[in-house]
Amino acid sequence: MAAPASSRGDRAGPRGLEACLFPEERWPRPSRPPLEASRRSTAFAPGHACRPSRGQAQVAMVSRQAPGCSLAPHSLWLLGAVLLVGASARPANHSSARDRAGHREDSEILPPDHLNGVKLEMDGHLNKDFHQEVFLGKDTDGFEEDAEPRKSRRKLMVIFSKVDVNADRRISAREMQRWIVEKTAEHFQEAVGESRAHFRAVDPDGDGRVSWDEYKVKFLASKGHNEQEVAEKIKNDQELKVDEETQEVLENLKDRWYQADNPPPDLLLTEEEFLSFLHPEHSRGMLRFMVKEIVRDLDQDGDKQLSLPEFVSLPAGTVENQRGQDIDDSWVRDRRKEFEELIDANRDGVVTMEELEEYMDPMNEYNALTEAKQMIAVADENQNRHLEPEEVLKYSEFFTGSKLVDYARNVHEEF
């Protein structure tokens, strides 16, 4: 559900939210979303996730060669087979936020594909980690797969206590809304810090403004080109020899650079404009540009809006077995639900750019309220429109990405 028309364009969201906290009818209880990792495009690595890694191939090889007792080779062979099946079952465009963070190099100055606290990725895929991002904020330590369960439960109950402002051992929609806004602000501040560091790296003369050529030099240097040679060729207007993929990326980045350059355009980005270049969620104009890019990529009939079939028809990735197909089917159901219940505000069967922009705006407090209700409904087993400690622990995987066992037995001890 998007904001009323009167509130569109106001990044702070509507006021007087108390009146719309709870409609007279009961909330529709959404089905619990699948917790598979985030979906990703395979444009630059087709089929990558479907190939066994070198380590997995070695396991299978050792299983055929290892001497010893009669059970050992058989067990290792089974282990190798399981690993290979797991690799092929996962669609190529699914990856988790932790995987994405691990593959992003420190020297990388490209705008990130993933924006924390924003509901869609840059390529138009749903952000599968969104609920965890707005519940945990930056504080994700302690919920890793190998974390000690008792410590994770205790930390989750600490978070519960912070969200539960009135200390009644229940989280209301208003309390969750306030928390979502607070955690989104944390992600915003983190992006500002990262952007400031990157700005200094691409502003060699320290004049507070960066030209496209200065950025281009640093970008190509981060891709392995000799920085001095690139700078010299650009200065002398000589041709740069780059591969086709890099050239395409440069052209897209240049379009984005021009969009971030506020009027009057001078092709020089200030630190604030550079922040918008890297993180479009920080600027209404750049958020609108991001929406146009997504619509352009998904719009099949050229009407500059999205129908339901267009929104759910993203490439499914490489799928080689039934389990992978099931994951893709689940992904389509998620997109259909998101389109019908949240993005298509007037329920007319099409999503306009304005509707998509309102849906994606992380600073929209009305959206934060809608998300709060959705998150509560997922775990609200007793249907009292509040979250209680037992429910949060039971549905810990939805809120934190980690499944914490023995939730009922330990809730009173950990609270």
Side-chain angles (χ1 to χ4, degrees):
M1 181 167 59
S6 62
S7 68
R8 291 189 182 276
D10 180 9
R11 289 187 62 78
R15 297 295 180 263
L17 292 172
E18 294 83 352
C20 57
L21 272 175
F22 294 108
E24 288 300 320
E25 65 273 15
R26 292 188 63 81
W27 303 351
R29 180 176 175 83
S31 60
R32 185 179 179 187
L35 296 169
E36 285 84 14
S38 296
R39 193 174 173 84
R40 277 293 174 273
S41 172
T42 57
F44 298 105
H48 172 74
C50 296
R51 294 193 296 268
S53 68
R54 182 178 180 183
Q56 292 166 348
Q58 287 174 341
V59 168
M61 186 180 301
V62 169
S63 69
R64 293 192 295 268
Q65 298 175 352
C69 69
S70 59
L71 291 178
H74 181 67
S75 300
L76 286 173
W77 184 88
L78 285 176
L79 175 60
V82 169
L83 289 172
L84 291 174
V85 170
S88 63
R90 184 180 178 129
N93 52 5
H94 281 257
S95 63
S96 69
R98 295 184 179 105
D99 291 339
R100 290 192 298 265
H103 287 89
R104 185 168 175 83
E105 300 177 359
D106 293 337
S107 60
E108 184 67 84
I109 56 175
L110 270 173
D113 292 329
H114 177 77
L115 304 173
N116 289 331
V118 179
K119 299 211 66 175
L120 288 185
E121 310 286 10
M122 297 292 290
D123 58 8
H125 290 77
L126 293 180
N127 176 7
K128 289 291 188 178
D129 299 309
F130 175 78
H131 296 112
Q132 297 163 25
E133 291 167 359
V134 297
F135 185 76
L136 296 178
K138 298 189 302 179
D139 192 16
T140 59
D141 294 338
F143 297 106
E144 298 84 358
E145 292 182 2
D146 58 349
E148 203 279 312
R150 178 168 179 169
K151 291 182 179 179
S152 298
R153 289 194 298 269
R154 183 168 297 170
K155 183 167 185 176
L156 183 54
M157 288 299 94
V158 169
I159 294 175
F160 183 99
S161 299
K162 292 179 179 178
V163 184
D164 180 22
V165 177
N166 63 4
D168 64 350
R169 291 173 60 89
R170 303 192 310 170
I171 294 176
S172 66
R174 182 185 294 183
E175 288 172 325
M176 183 67 84
Q177 177 201 23
R178 178 198 64 82
W179 184 256
I180 289 174
V181 171
E182 183 178 320
K183 296 297 109 176
T184 301
E186 283 186 10
H187 290 304
F188 265 52
Q189 291 304 313
E190 184 178 36
V192 169
E194 292 176 354
S195 175
R196 184 176 295 119
H198 291 317
F199 184 82
R200 292 169 183 167
V202 298
D203 181 25
D205 53 14
D207 64 351
R209 299 186 302 172
V210 177
S211 69
W212 166 248
D213 285 344
E214 286 177 324
Y215 176 81
K216 187 176 179 179
V217 168
K218 294 295 184 180
F219 168 73
L220 291 175
S222 73
K223 296 299 180 183
H225 294 263
N226 183 283
E227 184 171 340
Q228 291 183 343
E229 290 181 4
V230 171
E232 191 66 24
K233 287 185 177 181
I234 290 178
K235 180 179 179 181
N236 297 325
D237 200 22
Q238 297 177 352
E239 182 181 359
L240 291 171
K241 295 182 178 180
V242 297
D243 58 75
E244 184 177 346
E245 181 181 303
T246 301
Q247 183 60 41
E248 183 179 354
V249 172
L250 279 171
E251 290 173 1
N252 291 334
L253 288 173
K254 193 171 185 178
D255 288 342
R256 187 166 173 159
W257 188 273
Y258 287 164
Q259 291 293 326
D261 185 18
N262 292 328
D266 56 7
L267 300 185
L268 299 172
L269 298 192
T270 64
E271 187 172 319
E272 183 178 355
E273 291 169 335
F274 189 74
L275 171 64
S276 298
F277 169 73
L278 291 182
H279 289 272
E281 74 274 21
H282 284 252
S283 161
R284 173 62 80 175
M286 285 301 291
L287 183 65
R288 187 172 297 120
F289 174 72
M290 178 179 171
V291 166
K292 288 180 179 178
E293 292 287 289
I294 291 175
V295 171
R296 183 196 66 183
D297 291 342
L298 304 184
D299 180 20
Q300 298 173 9
D301 56 13
D303 63 355
K304 298 183 180 180
Q305 56 187 8
L306 298 178
S307 64
L308 177 59
E310 288 172 333
F311 188 73
V312 302
S313 64
L314 287 180
T318 303
V319 177
E320 296 184 354
N321 56 35
Q322 185 59 45
R323 180 174 179 271
Q325 185 62 54
D326 290 343
I327 293 175
D328 267 26
D329 291 344
S330 175
W331 171 75
V332 170
R333 288 195 298 271
D334 286 348
R335 292 184 69 84
R336 178 185 297 273
K337 182 180 180 63
E338 202 77 6
F339 182 100
E340 294 176 342
E341 297 185 6
L342 295 176
I343 310 178
D344 183 15
N346 60 5
R347 304 294 193 271
D348 64 351
V350 295
V351 166
T352 64
M353 291 191 185
E354 290 76 15
E355 286 176 320
L356 191 58
E357 183 180 333
E358 287 298 323
Y359 163 80
M360 291 183 61
D361 184 4
M363 297 302 290
N364 188 322
E365 291 185 5
Y366 190 87
N367 286 349
L369 176 63
T370 301
E371 289 304 325
K373 292 181 178 181
Q374 290 281 336
M375 290 171 70
I376 289 175
V378 166
D380 183 21
E381 291 196 337
N382 61 11
Q383 293 288 287
N384 66 353
R385 301 183 182 181
H386 289 73
L387 283 180
E388 297 170 1
E390 294 86 351
E391 294 169 333
V392 172
L393 284 170
K394 182 172 182 178
Y395 288 85
S396 61
E397 193 170 359
F398 173 76
F399 293 105
T400 71
S402 298
K403 191 171 184 178
L404 308 180
V405 297
D406 298 331
Y407 57 89
R409 186 179 65 186
N410 292 283
V411 62
H412 297 293
E413 175 185 353
E414 307 296 355
F415 192 81

